[in-house]
Amino acid sequence: MQYTKSFYQIKSSETIFEYVKKEIDTIGYYSLPLQDTKEIKEYAKSVKYSNIAIIGIGGSTLGTYAIYQFLKPTHEYSKELHFFESTDPTDIKLRLKKLDLNNTLFLVISKSGTTIETISIFKYIASLVKIDKNNCVIISENDSKLTQFALKNGMKTFEIPKNVGGRFSVFSTVGLVPLAILGVDIDSLLAGAREVKNSFFEKKGYYETIMEKARFMVENKNRFNINVVFSYSASLEGFNKWYIQLWGESLGKININGTKQALTPIGLIGPVDQHSFLQLIAEGKRDKTVTFIKVADFQDNTKIPSNTLDGFEGLEYIDNLEFSKLIDEQANATIESIKQLADIPYDVITINRVDEYNIAKLMFSYQLLTSVVGRFVQINTYNQPGVEAGKIILKEKLQKN
């Protein structure tokens, strides 16, 4: 007798681990920490422009912006990144006002080479300034229309591997090229990602953390179907947006049993959202897990001064307190309040230092977590069929106009 099944079933951690190991042969993001960065770094050194305009959307920009925003407050860069993502005409013009178009390098990033938002913005900018091989670089698949355009015009190109999806592409040329031009240590970025990868696949610390978290989320997904990332640093707002795309677009799928899966991502910034969303977490429906992200070393000792305002007796306990200490204690107090409620699952991630190595560790660990959860719920983590219908409808509507 033979028995075959196709229905959904939560498998053992060891089985899931073996499935993920097999993905290394077909899913490209796993190998990105091992790549040679020589060509990227050599090109980056040749760029003299002060402004780097990145034209792209979604996976083509979110990861780069997350790293840029995280590092910018504590790092001095001679160049500046500008992101053109939205087709909102007022947003485009507002961003263009900040640019000297004659002192700008344009990085056009699209995996497919036909992303409508990207090409539309690119066409508009090309009407304002001459686009040629001196001020434009194309980052795309090697056979896309965008790459063909670049080759026809003698422009520099960098390839996006076909087996690297957009939301998993931050450690590919998509992120490394603009960040290297900016002056980011991309080798340190890859070292951080490599540390997490090696630890996971050698079944060390990150294996235990990621597998345990993924299993809990999957086993309790019907009760706790919302995952809140509560980041206690304004510089992690970009990371939050990147996580929302990674989590939502990867895990909102129909599994092999025909069941709709959803672990809804929400990104919050502390302490700002203590004054808004925290109330819902604390006394609202118990359908959320919370991940707190803290920064151990902000590399900033700015203090709250004393005797600058009259009439605030009773608040002397904040005088001469470092803001980094204040935000850390705000995080700790919120975490303690959630702990005392005893019915909200939470965990705490602490970033040791504001640098390339540590932000890469955080981001690669989330990519691995996403892959593991996807395997547990038995979906295709790497496609996005729910997005394609809207693209088709838009194209049909525009062609009729």
Side-chain angles (χ1 to χ4, degrees):
M1 183 179 73
Q2 294 183 340
Y3 174 63
T4 302
K5 59 178 172 57
S6 63
F7 53 81
Y8 168 77
Q9 179 183 30
I10 297 179
K11 297 183 180 294
S12 71
S13 296
E14 184 59 37
T15 298
I16 295 301
F17 179 70
E18 291 302 318
Y19 281 153
V20 174
K21 279 178 62 178
K22 290 179 182 178
E23 287 186 353
I24 294 176
D25 297 329
T26 55
I27 304 301
Y29 91 86
Y30 292 107
S31 64
L32 294 177
L34 304 175
Q35 69 190 285
D36 184 354
T37 59
K38 183 179 178 181
E39 181 188 358
I40 296 173
K41 290 184 293 185
E42 286 181 351
Y43 176 75
K45 290 178 182 178
S46 73
V47 175
K48 306 303 180 185
Y49 293 100
S50 298
N51 298 299
I52 313 301
I54 300 176
I55 305 172
I57 194 169
S60 296
T61 57
L62 287 174
T64 304
Y65 179 70
I67 294 171
Y68 176 55
Q69 188 192 35
F70 182 71
L71 296 176
K72 188 178 180 181
T74 56
H75 292 67
E76 294 291 334
Y77 298 117
S78 60
K79 298 177 174 62
E80 187 170 358
L81 299 187
H82 304 263
F83 295 83
F84 289 82
E85 304 165 291
S86 174
T87 51
D88 178 343
T90 58
D91 181 75
I92 294 171
K93 290 181 179 179
L94 181 64
R95 293 176 185 273
L96 285 171
K97 285 181 180 180
K98 301 176 182 179
L99 286 181
D100 174 0
L101 293 178
N102 295 313
N103 189 21
T104 300
L105 176 68
F106 298 94
L107 297 184
V108 187
I109 306 176
S110 168
K111 180 174 168 62
S112 68
T114 56
T115 308
I116 191 167
E117 296 88 352
T118 303
I119 302 304
S120 298
I121 297 170
F122 187 31
K123 286 172 68 69
Y124 177 68
I125 290 177
S127 73
L128 304 177
V129 62
K130 182 182 179 181
I131 296 293
D132 58 29
K133 64 181 181 180
N134 297 310
N135 67 350
C136 185
V137 173
I138 301 300
I139 303 175
S140 185
E141 291 185 345
N142 61 7
D143 58 354
S144 74
K145 286 187 177 181
L146 200 52
T147 298
Q148 292 172 13
F149 168 82
L151 296 176
K152 181 180 178 181
N153 290 277
M155 295 174 176
K156 177 69 176 176
T157 64
F158 288 95
E159 181 183 355
I160 303 174
K162 288 184 178 293
N163 63 354
V164 176
R167 57 190 177 274
F168 289 87
S169 68
V170 63
F171 299 115
S172 73
T173 55
V174 167
L176 297 187
V177 172
L179 291 169
I181 294 171
L182 179 66
V184 169
D185 184 348
I186 60 173
D187 288 333
S188 184
L189 275 176
L190 294 185
R194 195 161 55 247
E195 168 68 22
V196 174
K197 176 190 174 181
N198 291 343
S199 175
F200 179 81
F201 285 108
E202 291 170 8
K203 290 190 173 182
K204 295 181 180 177
Y206 275 94
Y207 171 83
E208 297 295 337
T209 300
I210 290 171
M211 196 63 70
E212 180 183 12
K213 184 170 182 174
R215 174 168 284 281
F216 177 87
M217 287 179 162
V218 172
E219 289 179 344
N220 295 276
K221 63 186 175 67
N222 292 323
R223 180 180 178 189
F224 301 108
N225 65 341
I226 299 173
N227 179 232
V228 178
V229 165
F230 212 143
S231 299
Y232 272 79
S233 172
S235 66
L236 285 168
E237 185 176 7
F239 167 81
N240 284 7
K241 291 180 179 179
W242 172 83
Y243 143 78
I244 287 171
Q245 188 209 15
L246 176 70
W247 203 246
E249 199 167 54
S250 297
L251 301 179
K253 304 283 175 64
I254 300 173
N255 72 0
I256 63 171
N257 197 34
T259 304
K260 295 181 184 298
Q261 303 296 309
L263 289 165
T264 302
I266 293 175
L268 304 178
I269 294 293
V272 177
D273 290 315
Q274 288 180 197
H275 298 266
S276 56
F277 206 90
L278 181 57
Q279 173 63 36
L280 180 60
I281 295 173
E283 295 191 351
K285 186 177 179 180
R286 293 301 190 252
D287 54 1
K288 306 167 193 69
T289 63
V290 184
T291 297
F292 293 96
I293 302 180
K294 297 171 45 178
V295 176
D297 182 5
F298 282 90
Q299 300 170 55
D300 190 307
N301 59 3
T302 304
K303 293 183 178 182
I304 304 166
S306 59
N307 303 320
T308 56
L309 297 172
D310 295 328
F312 288 91
E313 292 78 10
L315 290 174
E316 292 83 3
Y317 57 85
I318 64 172
D319 288 351
N320 299 311
L321 181 67
E322 291 185 2
F323 277 99
S324 58
K325 178 67 173 177
L326 174 58
I327 195 171
D328 188 57
E329 291 302 340
Q330 287 174 306
N332 292 338
T334 303
I335 293 167
E336 182 62 29
S337 70
I338 297 300
K339 180 180 180 179
Q340 290 179 4
L341 291 171
D343 60 356
I344 299 175
Y346 75 93
D347 60 335
V348 182
I349 298 172
T350 300
I351 302 174
N352 293 329
R353 185 177 173 84
V354 179
D355 61 17
E356 292 91 339
Y357 183 77
N358 281 285
I359 188 62
K361 287 174 67 177
L362 177 67
M363 295 176 77
F364 201 82
S365 67
Y366 260 89
Q367 289 179 330
L368 282 175
L369 177 65
T370 303
S371 294
V372 173
V373 171
R375 275 296 179 178
F376 265 123
V377 296
Q378 298 182 48
I379 59 171
N380 183 339
T381 309
Y382 308 103
N383 66 358
Q384 50 278 338
V387 179
E388 299 306 318
K391 292 180 180 179
I392 294 171
I393 292 171
L394 173 62
K395 184 176 181 179
E396 291 174 350
K397 284 180 175 291
L398 294 176
Q399 287 176 335
K400 290 179 181 179
N401 291 340

